[in-house]
Amino acid sequence: MLQIAVCDDEPASLQKIEAETKQCLRQQNIFPLLSVFTNGEQLLFALEDGAFFDLLLLDIEMPQISGMELARQIHQKLPDALIIFVTAHFKYAVDAYELDIFRYIPKNQLSDRLTHAVTDAAAVLETQSAQSYLISSQNRMERIPLKNILYISREGKNGVFHIRGQNETVRLRKPLAEIHADLPKDEFVFIDRGYIVNLRHISSIVHSDCILTDSSRLPVAQSRLSGLKRRLNLFWSSKI
C-alpha cells in the first residue's frame, strides 16, 4: 500500500492537498494510507517512532522547522522517499531542486499541477517497488533497493541484509530460501547454505572465496563454485 504524508501548518491548505491527492489516486484505483501533520516536528516524531512513507507533500514555510530542513532530515531517514513541495513561495524553488525534490508546486497552481505531480510520483514508486525488497515486521517497514543489497546471510532464524553504504544490517525473521524466492533469480544466487549474494556486487572469485565490491570475503561451497562462475560470466556478459 502506498503510504503518503502531508505536512502543512495551514488547515485549509492541508485539507485541500489531502482531498485532491486521495481523489487523484483513487481515479487510478490506488487507495493510499495517508497521514497528515500540522508541523514538521510531528512528522519527525512519527519517523522516529518507525513511520514509513513513500511520498511526502510538504509546505516550506512552517513554524519550528522549515520544509527545507525537514526534507534534509527525511532524506537521511528515508533516502528513497519522494518529496513534493507545495508552497506559496517560489523563491525557494532553486534550493528545493538542490535537495533532490521530486516536484515543486506553487499553491496558486495547486489544482492544475498537483494531480500531474502525484500521478507521476505514483508511477515512479511503482517502478521502485518492483525493484526493491520490502522488509515488513511488527516494528519495521522499509523498502531496500535491490541494487544496494550486497548479500544476505543467515543468523539463526533471521535473514540479515548487508547493504551498501550502511554500517548497520537489517534483520528479517524469515528463512533464506523464502527470501531468495522473492528476489530476481538472475541477480541473486546462493553461494552457500548461509549466504545469498547479489551478482552485481561480486568483484572476483579467488580460490573458493567470493570477493565483493565492499571487500567482503565470503566462502563459496565447493558444490556451488562452478555454477557460480557460470552465472557470474553470464551476468557480466549481459552488462557489456
Side-chain angles (χ1 to χ4, degrees), residues 15-207:
Q15 184 176 9
K16 184 175 182 180
I17 295 169
E18 178 187 12
E20 293 199 14
T21 298
K22 284 183 176 179
Q23 181 181 1
C24 163
L25 293 174
R26 284 172 179 168
Q27 289 175 348
Q28 303 173 58
N29 290 319
I30 300 174
F31 300 92
L33 180 61
L34 197 150
S35 304
V36 296
F37 303 89
T38 56
N39 61 67
E41 288 187 335
Q42 290 180 353
L43 177 51
L44 289 179
F45 286 147
L47 293 176
E48 291 292 343
D49 286 340
F52 174 87
F53 300 106
D54 301 286
L55 173 65
L56 301 100
L57 296 97
L58 311 176
D59 187 14
I60 289 183
E61 288 202 343
M62 294 185 290
Q64 287 86 47
I65 179 170
S66 71
M68 303 291 286
E69 178 58 30
L70 185 58
R72 291 187 182 94
Q73 296 195 42
I74 288 169
H75 275 315
Q76 292 175 1
K77 298 177 184 298
L78 302 173
D80 297 310
L82 300 184
I83 296 176
I84 295 175
F85 274 150
V86 184
T87 180
H89 302 280
F90 186 76
K91 61 184 179 180
Y92 296 109
V94 173
D95 291 335
Y97 284 115
E98 290 177 352
L99 281 170
D100 194 26
I101 300 303
F102 180 73
R103 202 64 55 86
Y104 179 96
I105 303 175
K107 284 188 176 179
N108 60 4
Q109 299 179 33
L110 185 65
S111 297
D112 294 331
R113 297 178 60 177
L114 181 63
T115 296
H116 294 295
V118 171
T119 298
D120 290 346
V124 169
L125 289 166
E126 183 179 3
T127 300
Q128 286 184 353
S129 177
Q131 298 174 346
S132 62
Y133 191 90
L134 178 63
I135 300 289
S136 181
S137 66
Q138 185 176 359
N139 301 316
R140 185 182 193 124
M141 181 175 287
E142 178 182 358
R143 282 197 180 98
I144 303 176
L146 297 180
K147 64 182 181 180
N148 291 342
I149 300 174
L150 293 163
Y151 66 99
I152 308 158
S153 60
R154 183 179 61 191
E155 187 175 298
K157 296 183 178 180
N158 295 315
V160 182
F161 288 73
H162 301 258
I163 303 166
R164 181 180 62 179
Q166 289 187 204
N167 293 326
E168 295 184 1
T169 56
V170 177
R171 284 171 167 75
L172 176 64
R173 193 173 180 83
K174 196 172 186 179
L176 285 191
E178 292 185 18
I179 293 174
H180 186 251
D182 296 331
L183 294 167
K185 304 305 181 292
D186 59 337
E187 291 188 28
F188 290 86
V189 298
F190 271 103
I191 62 169
D192 184 85
R193 291 179 62 187
Y195 294 103
I196 300 170
V197 170
N198 188 343
L199 290 175
R200 73 173 66 219
H201 289 297
I202 296 179
S203 61
S204 63
I205 297 175
V206 180
H207 301 302

